[in-house]
Amino acid sequence: MSIRRDRYEIRFSGEGGQGVILGGAILAEAAILHEGRFAVQSPQYGSRVRGGPTKVDVIISDLPILFPRATKIDFFLALAQMSYNKYANGLADDAVLLIDANLVPNVNENGRYVHRLPIVEIAKVELGNEVLSSSVALGAVIALTGIVRPDAAWKAIEARVPAKVKELNRKAFERGLKAGESLKG
Amino acid sequence: MSGNAVIAEAAIAAGCRFYAGYPITPSSEIAAVMAEELPKVGGVFIQMEDEIASMGAIIGASLGGMKALTATSGPGFSLKQENLGFACMAEVPCVVVNVMRGGPSTGLPTLPAQGDVMQARWGTHGDHPIIALYPADLTEMYWQTVRAFNLAEKYRTPVILLSDELLGHMSERVEIPDASELTIIDRRKPDVAPDQYLPYDVKTELVPPMANFFEGYRYHVTGLTHDETGFPTEDPDLAEAQLRRLMLKVSANADDIMEWEEDGLADAEVAIFAYGAAARSARAAIAELRAAGIKVGLFRPITIWPFPEAALVKAVSHAKALFVVEMNMGQMIREVERGIRDVPIVGIHKVSGQPIDPEEIVLTVREFLEGKVTLPQKAVYQMSV
C-alpha cells in the first residue's frame, strides 16, 4: 500500500472509555518523538465522557500540518456502531476501514476495503481486559498501514502506560500487529 | 503535547508559582498539569471553591509577590470579570487563560468557538486597560504564555491568554525553548524607603514600581478610585489622572505589546484576517489557493487587544477584498471595519462547534473572484458557512 507522505489522515472512533483518544495520542507521539515527523492529534468528544461517541483525528506528514482536523480520511477505525454512524464521514474514495467485527455490524462498504477484527473480544476474552482494546487496535492499524514503525509505536506506548500493565500492553500490541498482518493476507 | 499542557509548562518556565482554579472543560488539563508540576518547583496549587474565588486568590498571591495563573472557559470567564476589573484597577499583574468553547451560557462545553474575543476586551465594566494574546500553534502558545507573564509584570496589569478547545485539546510537535532562550521579566520594585513609597503615583511614570507585601512595604489596595497611596478619593483631578494613566499604560506602550503575523500579503490580491484556531483553517485554505495560482495572504493578530489596527490597514490596503474568518457570529470583523475604509470586507463565520473547514474558505474566495459575491455587503450573516 502506498502512503500519502504529505498528509496521511487517520480517524479512530469509539465509545468514551475505550481509549481511542489515547490511542491517537500514542500514534502521533510515535511519529513525532520516534520518527521525527510532523503529526497532530485532535480529539472530539461530547459532554458525556464515558459511553458517548468519541473520535480522534491523527494526521501524519513530512511537512508542518496547518489544519488539524481530517478532511479526507485515509484510514478509519471504528470500535462502536454509534461512532461509526456519527464519524464515518469525509472518507477518501480509497480509504481503508478497520472495524470491530462484533460491535460494528452495519457498514456501508461503498467499494472500500473493510477489514473486520474482533478487537474488543480479543482484548477482553483472550487477553483478559477490555482496556487493552486500544493497544490491540494500534497494532492492527500499524500492520495494515505501515504509517509508523512498530518499534516507534511500542516506545510511545511504553512511555504512556503504567509499569504494572506494560507487559500486558506489549502482548496486546503484538497480538494486534499479528492480526493486522494476517488481515493484509 | 496538548495546547493546555503547553500553557502549564510555559507558565512554570515563566516563573509562575501559584495557580488557583476551578476545573472547567476545555481548560481543565491546565489545572491538572499545574497540580502535578507546581509542587515540584516549590509552587502552590489550590483548587478553589469557585471561579470567582480563583480570580481573587491569584490577585492575593500576586500582591504577595508570586506570579499567578488561573485558567477557565466561557462560563467561568464571565464569573471572573468582577475581580478581573479589580486587578486592572488595583494594578495587580496576573494571567487569566480562557480556553474558548461554544456559548452563550454553558453552550457547547467540549467544542471550540471564538465567541469571547469581545468579552476579553469589555467583559468587566468601566474603562479599563486590557492585554489579550491569542496564539495559533502550540510552539507559539509556549512563547506567548511566557510573554503573557512578562507583559503582566512589566505593565502591572492582568493579561488574558486566549485559546480555544481546538488548540487546547489538540497535540502537535512543539519546539520547547531552552530556559536560557527565554527573557523573563519581573515586576520592578520600589527603590525608595517604605514611608516614601507611592504605589499609585500619577506624576512620575506610567507604571509605578510594585512592592510585594511582607517585604517591609505596606499600602492600601482597593477597587475604589484611589489616590497615590491607594486610599479612596473622589478628587476629580486625581480620578481623571489615575484612569488616564491606567489606560495609557497599555495604549502608550501598544508598539511593545502588539504582535501580528503577515504572510504572503505583499503580492496578494485577496487578504484573509484570522486568528487562533480559525487561522489554522485560513492557512490551509491559503496554501490550496496559492497552489492554484491565486494570490492570497494572511494577516493574523497575535495580540488581539490592543488591536493592531494601523498594521492591518497598511498590510491589506492594496487587496481587492479582505475576508474575515472567525468562529463566532462576527466580532473582530467590527474592529476590522473601524480601520479599513476602501477594501470590501467579507465575513466567514461559523458557530456550529466545528472548526471551519479550509474548503469553506476556498469556496468563498473563489466565488468572490468569480463575481458571485455581491459587494458591498455587511457580511456578518450572509456568508455564514
Side-chain angles (χ1 to χ4, degrees):
Chain A
M1 184 192 306
S2 71
I3 288 278
R4 283 203 289 159
R5 296 285 299 183
D6 60 335
R7 188 178 170 101
Y8 191 78
E9 299 189 351
I10 298 167
R11 176 170 292 174
F12 292 173
S13 70
E15 279 177 17
Q18 282 181 326
V20 296
I21 289 176
L22 178 61
I26 288 171
L27 185 57
E29 282 165 8
I32 295 170
L33 300 175
H34 305 298
E35 296 200 350
R37 303 183 69 198
F38 291 91
V40 298
Q41 176 255 20
S42 186
Q44 188 185 333
Y45 50 85
S47 299
R48 202 178 82 178
V49 173
R50 233 160 269 279
T54 66
K55 70 146 163 98
V56 60
D57 289 349
V58 178
I59 300 159
I60 297 178
S61 173
D62 289 340
L63 304 166
I65 294 153
L66 305 174
F67 186 59
R69 286 278 171 88
T71 53
K72 201 168 155 233
I73 298 164
D74 297 287
F75 190 95
F76 181 80
L77 167 76
L79 294 184
Q81 185 68 49
M82 69 168 149
S83 68
Y84 171 86
N85 297 346
K86 189 163 181 191
Y87 295 125
N89 45 42
L91 301 178
D93 290 340
D94 59 350
V96 175
L97 285 77
L98 172 62
I99 58 158
D100 190 286
N102 301 317
L103 302 176
V104 190
N106 302 315
V107 173
N108 175 13
E109 304 201 0
N110 212 356
R112 295 192 182 91
Y113 229 117
V114 180
H115 298 289
R116 292 179 170 78
L117 186 67
I119 294 168
V120 174
E121 187 185 305
I122 290 173
K124 204 167 161 179
V125 179
E126 212 182 299
L127 301 163
N129 197 337
E130 198 173 338
V131 299
L132 297 167
S133 301
S134 69
S135 286
V136 175
L138 260 181
V141 169
I142 285 158
L144 285 167
T145 62
I147 185 67
V148 295
R149 296 188 316 271
D151 67 296
W154 171 245
K155 277 188 212 157
I157 297 173
E158 217 180 357
R160 279 276 195 165
V161 300
K164 59 179 180 190
V165 291
K166 199 169 107 178
E167 203 41 40
L168 268 176
N169 274 282
R170 195 185 54 77
K171 266 171 74 177
F173 177 64
E174 281 171 3
R175 179 69 180 82
L177 274 177
K178 212 173 88 187
E181 285 299 338
S182 55
L183 283 174
K184 269 204 301 192
Chain B
M1 197 181 224
S2 76
N4 283 342
V6 166
I7 290 175
E9 301 263 343
I12 291 173
C16 174
R17 291 296 178 270
F18 185 90
Y19 183 98
Y22 185 80
I24 179 169
T25 303
S27 78
S28 302
E29 296 80 9
I30 300 173
V33 177
M34 291 306 260
E36 183 92 26
E37 297 301 323
L38 266 181
K40 296 181 190 167
V41 293
V44 177
F45 174 93
I46 307 180
Q47 180 171 325
M48 297 298 290
E49 66 268 37
D50 60 35
E51 297 276 4
I52 300 171
S54 307
M55 190 64 214
I58 67 164
I59 290 171
S62 180
L63 286 169
M66 287 171 120
K67 291 187 186 177
L69 174 72
T70 189
T72 188
S73 188
F77 196 50
S78 292
L79 290 166
K80 290 192 191 304
Q81 294 302 329
E82 182 184 6
N83 273 336
L84 185 66
F86 182 92
C88 294
M89 185 59 145
E91 298 181 65
V92 183
C94 54
V95 176
V96 178
V97 178
N98 177 4
V99 186
M100 289 182 279
R101 67 192 219 184
S105 190
T106 35
L108 296 165
T110 62
L111 300 174
Q114 300 182 312
D116 308 346
V117 288
M118 278 294 161
Q119 188 187 20
R121 180 64 195 90
W122 292 117
T124 195
H125 59 274
D127 288 301
H128 60 278
I130 210 79
I131 298 172
L133 313 176
Y134 193 174
D137 67 63
L138 302 193
T139 299
E140 186 175 81
M141 186 77 82
Y142 192 99
W143 287 97
Q144 292 299 329
T145 302
V146 173
R147 199 161 162 266
F149 280 95
N150 285 345
L151 292 172
E153 293 284 314
K154 189 171 179 182
Y155 297 113
R156 220 182 134 180
T157 196
V159 174
I160 293 161
L161 178 65
L162 292 171
S163 177
D164 50 65
E165 191 276 337
L166 191 73
L167 295 173
H169 281 161
M170 68 175 259
S171 296
E172 69 182 343
R173 192 156 115 175
V174 187
E175 312 284 341
I176 304 269
D178 197 65
S180 64
E181 293 173 60
L182 301 176
T183 304
I184 304 293
I185 297 175
D186 295 317
R187 64 192 63 171
R188 197 160 54 84
K189 291 188 184 177
D191 50 14
V192 296
D195 60 347
Q196 280 158 27
Y197 175 53
L198 293 175
Y200 301 103
D201 189 7
V202 278
K203 294 201 183 68
T204 45
E205 48 199 335
L206 286 178
V207 188
M210 181 174 175
N212 295 333
F213 276 83
F214 319 114
E215 290 180 2
Y217 292 77
R218 53 196 287 251
Y219 65 97
H220 194 254
V221 181
T222 177
L224 288 166
T225 296
H226 40 266
D227 63 18
E228 298 93 326
T229 66
F231 282 99
T233 180
E234 287 168 1
D235 179 294
D237 292 339
L238 262 177
E240 177 103 13
Q242 284 292 10
L243 187 51
R244 285 188 181 277
R245 181 181 61 78
L246 217 56
M247 299 301 283
L248 273 169
K249 285 199 298 183
V250 170
S251 60
N253 292 298
D255 284 346
D256 177 48
I257 298 166
M258 291 184 301
E259 284 190 0
W260 65 89
E261 178 199 356
E262 292 177 28
D263 186 22
L265 284 170
D267 67 341
E269 49 176 332
V270 169
I272 296 180
F273 173 98
Y275 50 89
R280 310 283 298 227
S281 309
R283 279 181 184 156
I286 289 167
E288 187 179 330
L289 287 162
R290 285 214 160 235
I294 300 167
K295 287 176 178 157
V296 188
L298 176 69
F299 187 94
R300 179 174 69 87
I302 300 166
T303 305
I304 298 281
W305 305 112
F307 184 69
E309 182 179 296
L312 171 70
V313 171
K314 189 162 167 245
V316 307
S317 58
H318 61 283
K320 271 199 240 166
L322 174 61
F323 291 78
V324 176
V325 181
E326 309 179 85
M327 288 154 66
N328 56 44
M329 293 291 282
Q331 295 197 11
M332 294 307 282
I333 194 170
R334 300 295 186 203
E335 210 63 28
V336 170
E337 285 170 346
R338 278 159 65 127
I340 306 280
R341 298 274 171 236
D342 305 322
V343 181
I345 297 167
V346 183
I348 298 179
H349 301 286
K350 187 168 180 174
V351 289
S352 65
Q354 295 301 314
I356 296 169
D357 189 322
E359 212 51 41
E360 296 167 329
I361 302 170
V362 168
L363 278 177
T364 309
V365 171
R366 282 186 181 281
E367 280 174 6
F368 167 79
L369 291 173
E370 287 160 12
K372 289 185 195 155
V373 175
T374 327
L375 294 170
Q377 62 170 322
K378 283 292 173 194
V380 176
Y381 300 108
Q382 284 103 323
M383 295 308 298
S384 293
V385 288

